[in-house]
Amino acid sequence: MSIKDRLRNAAKGSIGPADNDSRFLLDVHSRALPGRQTMQQYDDDDEVDLAIVGAGAGGSVLAQRLARKGWRIVVIEAGPFWDPDKDWVSDEAGSHGLYWTGKRIIGGADPIELGKNNSGHGVGGSMVHYAGYTPRFHPSDLETFTRDGVGADWPIRYEDLLPHYERVERELPVSGQNWPWGHPHSYPFSPHPVSEAANVVWRGAEQLGIGMRVGPVGIVNGTFGNRPHCIYRGYCLQGCKVNAKASPLVTHLPDALAHSVEIRSDCMAARIELDESGRARGVVYLSEPGGAERLQRAKFVAVAGYSIETPRLLLASTSARFPHGLCNDHDVVGRYVMVQGATQTAGRWPEELRMYKAPPPQVSSEDYYETDTSRGFARGFSIQTVSPLPIGWAEHVLADGHWGRAMREYMRDYNHWATVGVLNELLAHPDNRITLADEVDAYGLPVARMDYSLTENDKANEAYSTKVITDILKAGGAQDVLTIHRYAHLIGGARMGSSPGTSVVDANQRSWAVPNLFLADGSVCPTQGSANPALTIMALASRLAERMADGSAMSDDPEQRAGPFRARQPVG
Amino acid sequence: MPSRSDDNAIDKDPIDKDPIDKGPIDKDKGEHLPHLRADGAPPRPSWLPRQRRGITPQMIGRYPDYDVLENADTWDEMTRGVVLARLDPPGPLRFFEPSEEATLRAFCDVTTGQDEDPRVPVAESVDAKLADGKLDGFQYADMPDDRDTWHLVLAGLDESAHERFRTGFGQCRLDEQEQLVRDFAAGRLSGGSWNELNVSRAWSVCMRAILSGFYSHPWAWNEIGFGGPAYPRGYMRTGALNTTEPSESRGATQEDPVGTVRRESEEFPG
Ligand SMILES: Cc1cc2nc3c(=O)[nH]c(=O)nc-3n(C[C@H](O)[C@H](O)[C@H](O)COP(=O)(O)OP(=O)(O)OC[C@H]3O[C@@H](n4cnc5c(N)ncnc54)[C@H](O)[C@@H]3O)c2cc1C
Ligand code: SF4
């Protein structure tokens, strides 16, 4: 262990980020952001330094960082500005409003169900209702084509993200055991206690010699400024009413508001408008369905609407110069969108485990993360415990083929079950893509269509990993198992790369085609590995902000644009 | 609140003589679980203890002395409002036509195994979701809008019932309805309205709404022993096996109380 690691371990739980005061800017007694009352307001005609579309993981980090450097920023967010005390409930069905439920068409051979399972809508973005797992990507994830001949390379390396991983981990803050996989590292907070439902999975893994670790989760273990300890109520996917779980709403936006960022909520961006020289003039948006179009003028524009809405906005921004959508000269916008296989298997024990207690994310393993050719497919998967609440559990039971009286019997047995899931790395494919459908939404904007089909490699990975988690449960003594095959975690759709023919943005996340347009969300990732994406999306935005602040992101030097690692990205 | 009608009362005997195993069901061994039973079907609910406290659908459950609603005063106000509203007497249907009602109710009953009162009002919950347009945010490219899917499914069930049993779905016997639903779940129904749908996907569209309606109801939480909303109170006892919060109650067991008392006094003398 290096001296730096040792110091970090000794200081666990006591060091906060130096350049982000969000944790102190929250109210102890209520969850609404105090800074909202005194929020800066800009005029549409006031040319701000930066207009950001989307107040989610990427957009919020970018805003907070650059606001600290004195940039004048407006964030345009389609969803509401949450007051968690009033708007959120500890209830599955009652949380419908947290999700992006505007219509999307899903097609392809293996259509991906969206809605509550895949994206958010409102200030804080999808992390408001994400589970809370915050692993890093492995170094190999950024070079899968070079190493394994599949997927695509990134134009940057793990080392470029490393300082930003460490910084964001201090901000969330992440708690977990020392991490032995990928690039070994430790976490700023010690691991949470483990519930019995996760323990039985752990013991099964131990029997098979599979290593498990507690965490990593962006959930406070201890107190963190004015954010309290987690109360183990298990409603992380319905929004944390406690402020224990990290989301930009509590980790970055309070500090952003204190540094003059305006968050214009309930405003839907309709397109990016260009001036005669081909630069973005600003963002055209609507503050209500059927309302008049408004244009927020800005020197720079960053889009951070996530993997479906970012491509949708670009594709809808047509002009004489870009008849097929903004930045779409090479027909790359919307392509290479990815999800992860997220099969879950539940096992049954004679004792009551009551998996609804404690946060759903608890213990995980990355033993199967890297390629092992003996398994018969490239790349791998991670293993993580989860814990569905009753409606989620009913969907699980149904997926195993039980309805009516049989379903009721399994449902009554709820308290005896523990659930473990996988995240399979699924490979980037050009036909897995976002396009515009013929229908329009309430704003009159064309809705997105997402086509998805699995490759043979994907199917082999899914089948293998399902057997591994089933074996873990059986080794731990499970008497019966139930399985649901599902998908989670969108990524890609406007990837970064070293050349305009294969990617939408350069190594600085600046679009190849429009000089003052950046993408700042999960859509830029060329691969996803088997790690949950939120931490990486935040780290990327943190890196982008650093480079926008010092001007290096605006560099026209071909070497700078291609990035420190010449990305090999096959097309087709 | 609906009360349980006595002429439909289930067997009060807490230990069912199971027709397959010819003996009492051992819950610890999972003998009630369809996968572990010779016929792959669940036992009759009469093996369950009778609910003493709190309402459950059909008054069956595994936590006879548990009522999640007794904790309602510890929930935050917004959550309490949302959950308790589900106990209001259901109003008339707004989305579905009167001509669809019998089929809708029968379909919701069969898919959730509800054959008598008290019933969770699933049909009303589906109706409200569709009437309010609170859809799930995606539509399969080879399917109509979810609202049209529901109309087509109910029409399709009726058409198939007429074809097979010469009567409407709502008028079929339970075993006939179950047979049709089994075929629907397996994507095996075709002709007429079914031809306008991808039948397997239609099944998942309908079941999403039905499961959400049933398992968002506190009576269903009583049945399965779910702790319910726990904010601001939280949970403290996530540790060792079989530990419960003060507000939770243990599931019923079939152990012989005399034996337990004797064994415990041997294990923990004095
Ligand atoms: C149920 C669930 C569980 C998850 N669990 C995990 C987990 O455990 N760990 C993990 O790492 N990740 C998890 N994720 C994924 C994670 O939340 C996302 O990957 C991440 O938040 C994406 O960040 P983003 O910045 O790209 O987009 P988002 O955070 O989704 O932000 C995009 C924002 O842009 C807004 N927007 C979009 N289009 C427009 C427009 N035209 N105009 C104005 N605003 C717009 C949206 O409303 C949204 O607020 C989970 C996701 C879900 C749904
Ligand atoms: S379990 Fe903890 S982190 Fe999750 S919602 Fe509850 S308090 Fe928040």
Side-chain angles (χ1 to χ4, degrees):
Chain A
M1 206 187 273
S2 73
I3 294 193
K4 199 173 144 201
D5 282 338
R6 255 183 241 172
L7 278 175
R8 246 208 312 271
N9 271 345
K12 242 183 228 296
S14 64
I15 297 189
D19 36 21
N20 179 346
D21 291 333
S22 291
R23 64 197 182 284
F24 301 119
L25 296 168
L26 293 161
D27 192 323
V28 187
H29 301 292
S30 72
R31 259 48 58 185
L33 296 193
R36 191 179 171 193
Q37 305 308 326
T38 52
M39 185 167 74
Q40 181 72 247
Q41 316 244 327
Y42 299 95
D43 281 342
D44 283 340
D45 289 333
D46 184 355
E47 190 186 59
V48 294
D49 296 314
L50 174 65
I52 300 175
V53 177
S60 303
V61 172
L62 184 67
Q64 185 267 339
R65 295 283 196 271
L66 289 173
R68 281 249 169 187
K69 302 283 182 191
W71 288 46
R72 298 161 70 247
I73 300 172
V74 173
V75 185
I76 294 170
E77 165 57 51
F81 203 134
W82 302 116
D83 175 351
D85 290 333
K86 295 207 184 85
D87 300 336
W88 300 353
V89 288
S90 300
D91 185 72
E92 288 179 279
S95 300
H96 191 261
L98 291 186
Y99 313 114
W100 188 289
T101 51
K103 186 184 279 190
R104 288 154 168 174
I105 307 293
I106 55 172
D110 306 283
I112 305 298
E113 299 202 344
L114 299 171
K116 72 172 176 177
N117 194 31
N118 271 309
S119 56
H121 181 240
V123 177
S126 304
M127 282 178 78
V128 158
H129 55 77
Y130 85 143
Y133 271 118
T134 49
R136 297 181 188 177
F137 281 13
H138 284 201
S140 68
D141 290 331
L142 285 70
E143 353 182 319
T144 62
F145 191 75
T146 294
R147 288 189 188 217
D148 297 317
V150 295
D153 296 337
W154 295 43
I156 59 174
R157 288 176 192 272
Y158 179 84
E159 291 70 41
D160 299 304
L161 283 178
L162 179 57
H164 301 282
Y165 273 143
E166 291 178 348
R167 192 168 162 191
V168 175
E169 283 166 355
R170 279 197 298 277
E171 294 176 301
L172 295 183
V174 179
S175 81
Q177 279 186 289
N178 289 349
W179 211 245
W181 294 287
H183 170 246
H185 56 275
S186 62
Y187 286 110
F189 273 67
S190 47
H192 283 270
V194 175
S195 79
E196 207 48 37
N199 257 332
V200 294
V201 175
W202 182 292
R203 286 195 287 269
E206 212 167 33
Q207 290 289 320
L208 301 181
I210 298 170
M212 298 285 274
R213 289 288 184 282
V214 185
V217 291
I219 297 176
V220 179
N221 184 15
T223 54
F224 189 61
N226 292 345
R227 286 174 58 198
H229 195 295
C230 166
I231 62 170
Y232 302 120
R233 60 195 258 286
Y235 280 90
C236 306
L237 278 78
Q238 285 69 36
C240 181
K241 285 189 82 137
V242 176
N243 275 356
K245 191 189 75 173
S247 86
L249 191 62
V250 294
T251 59
H252 290 83
L253 293 177
D255 195 68
L257 292 179
H259 291 84
S260 303
V261 169
E262 177 187 348
I263 299 168
R264 210 168 287 161
S265 51
D266 297 305
C267 287
M268 178 78 177
R271 60 180 190 278
I272 313 289
E273 194 148 291
L274 303 185
D275 64 18
E276 310 72 52
S277 72
R279 291 176 66 87
R281 284 176 65 211
V283 178
V284 176
Y285 67 97
L286 297 138
S287 51
E288 58 186 332
E293 284 192 349
R294 294 165 62 179
L295 170 70
Q296 174 62 55
R297 301 199 43 225
K299 293 193 183 73
F300 291 93
V301 172
V303 182
Y306 206 11
S307 291
I308 296 180
E309 296 307 317
T310 291
R312 176 186 177 203
L313 186 64
L314 295 178
L315 292 171
S317 300
T318 51
S319 58
R321 160 72 184 84
F322 293 104
H324 306 295
L326 201 59
C327 307
N328 201 21
D329 289 334
H330 302 276
D331 191 21
V332 188
V333 173
R335 292 190 184 272
Y336 309 102
V337 72
M338 282 160 276
V339 289
Q340 287 170 329
T343 298
Q344 296 176 352
T345 299
R348 200 267 178 187
W349 274 264
E351 297 86 5
E352 287 178 12
L353 304 171
R354 297 190 183 251
M355 64 175 155
Y356 56 81
K357 298 201 259 188
Q362 295 216 31
V363 303
S364 50
S365 172
E366 293 177 358
D367 265 5
Y368 294 86
Y369 201 104
E370 304 288 339
T371 298
D372 172 348
T373 44
S374 73
R375 292 184 213 137
F377 57 90
R379 304 302 295 162
F381 57 94
S382 59
I383 300 172
Q384 303 178 335
T385 56
V386 291
S387 45
L389 294 176
I391 295 174
W393 178 236
E395 287 168 354
H396 190 131
V397 170
L398 177 78
D400 199 88
H402 311 280
W403 50 272
R405 293 178 301 116
M407 174 194 74
R408 289 277 293 281
E409 199 61 63
Y410 275 116
M411 291 300 299
R412 281 191 287 268
D413 214 46
Y414 177 54
N415 284 340
H416 293 264
W417 292 74
T419 313
V420 58
V422 299
L423 292 180
N424 307 99
E425 173 166 357
L426 304 184
L427 303 177
H429 198 278
D431 294 336
N432 291 340
R433 64 186 296 205
I434 308 299
T435 51
L436 298 180
D438 298 330
E439 277 180 73
V440 293
D441 67 7
Y443 295 94
L445 304 170
V447 308
R449 172 179 170 130
M450 176 177 174
D451 283 286
Y452 206 89
S453 306
L454 297 167
T455 63
E456 289 310 311
N457 195 79
D458 298 338
K459 291 178 189 166
N461 188 341
E462 246 179 52
Y464 186 97
S465 62
T466 305
K467 181 166 182 323
V468 171
I469 50 174
T470 308
D471 289 346
I472 289 177
L473 293 171
K474 290 191 171 151
Q479 300 161 298
D480 188 5
V481 293
L482 293 169
T483 298
I484 177 171
H485 292 290
R486 52 191 287 289
Y487 300 89
H489 302 153
L490 297 158
I491 209 97
R495 71 184 179 187
M496 65 197 302
S498 300
S499 104
T502 67
S503 55
V504 179
V505 293
D506 66 15
N508 297 310
Q509 293 172 232
R510 183 161 71 111
S511 78
W512 292 106
V514 179
N516 61 338
L517 176 66
F518 291 82
L519 303 186
D521 59 1
S523 67
V524 302
C525 299
T527 62
Q528 171 153 232
S530 308
N532 321 54
L535 182 84
T536 299
I537 294 170
M538 286 185 145
L540 275 168
S542 173
R543 171 181 177 270
L544 170 60
E546 189 176 83
R547 299 178 71 78
M548 285 177 80
D550 69 14
S552 52
M554 290 74 156
S555 166
D556 286 327
D557 170 18
E559 289 294 314
Q560 285 280 332
R561 299 202 77 176
F565 183 64
R566 196 51 60 96
R568 293 165 66 199
Q569 301 182 321
V571 281
Chain B
M1 269 174 212
S3 69
R4 196 165 137 249
S5 65
D6 264 336
D7 45 23
N8 271 335
I10 51 170
D11 189 348
K12 305 273 190 322
D13 185 358
I15 299 168
D16 192 26
K17 294 288 179 288
D18 186 62
I20 301 293
D21 298 328
K22 302 273 185 289
I25 291 171
D26 186 342
K27 176 174 68 70
D28 289 351
K29 292 199 184 122
E31 287 175 359
H32 56 301
L33 300 172
H35 279 166
L36 306 185
R37 296 169 61 79
D39 60 353
R44 281 187 297 132
S46 53
W47 77 279
L48 295 162
R50 108 187 241 211
Q51 192 71 15
R52 287 182 288 250
R53 227 156 124 185
I55 298 178
T56 66
Q58 294 77 56
M59 291 312 267
I60 52 179
R62 293 259 296 275
Y63 301 83
D65 295 315
Y66 178 62
D67 185 4
V68 71
L69 293 170
E70 286 174 9
N71 300 320
D73 61 341
T74 70
W75 303 342
D76 70 277
E77 198 185 323
M78 305 315 292
T79 302
R80 188 162 57 236
V82 164
V83 174
L84 296 188
R86 297 181 186 138
L87 299 171
D88 291 344
L93 299 182
R94 292 182 284 142
F95 173 79
F96 291 103
E97 302 293 330
S99 59
E100 296 174 304
E101 185 165 346
T103 305
L104 172 71
R105 289 193 186 284
F107 178 54
C108 291
D109 276 357
V110 172
T111 48
T112 57
Q114 299 203 91
D115 53 3
E116 61 172 14
D117 283 343
R119 278 181 172 84
V120 169
V122 176
E124 281 82 0
S125 148
V126 172
D127 180 79
K129 179 186 163 96
L130 299 173
D132 298 340
K134 285 196 171 173
L135 305 184
D136 296 327
F138 57 93
Q139 178 185 322
Y140 288 96
D142 57 358
M143 287 280 286
D145 186 275
D146 286 3
R147 287 163 287 210
D148 299 326
T149 297
W150 270 96
H151 288 308
L152 287 165
V153 163
L154 297 183
L157 285 171
D158 248 357
E159 290 158 17
S160 299
H162 274 288
E163 201 174 292
R164 262 188 228 178
F165 306 114
R166 314 235 160 270
T167 181
F169 184 81
Q171 289 73 49
C172 287
R173 288 200 319 266
L174 181 62
D175 61 315
E176 295 168 342
Q177 290 170 341
E178 284 186 336
Q179 187 196 105
L180 287 164
V181 170
R182 194 170 304 117
D183 287 348
F184 180 17
R188 283 195 299 255
L189 296 177
S190 60
S193 303
W194 298 114
N195 289 352
E196 292 174 51
L197 295 166
N198 175 322
V199 178
S200 311
R201 283 181 184 147
W203 168 250
S204 82
V205 167
C206 295
M207 288 309 287
R208 253 195 337 262
I210 287 175
L211 296 181
S212 171
F214 191 78
Y215 285 105
S216 58
H217 201 286
W219 293 351
W221 300 346
N222 283 342
E223 180 188 11
I224 69 176
F226 172 53
Y231 173 78
R233 186 194 56 207
Y235 292 119
M236 295 188 300
R237 292 159 182 87
T238 60
L241 290 171
N242 285 329
T243 47
T244 48
E245 311 284 328
S247 58
E248 292 168 336
S249 93
R250 291 273 293 278
T253 58
Q254 292 108 322
E255 68 194 0
D256 164 16
V258 179
T260 307
V261 171
R262 192 178 304 130
R263 202 165 53 246
E264 284 195 353
S265 64
E266 279 162 14
E267 280 171 22
F268 306 102

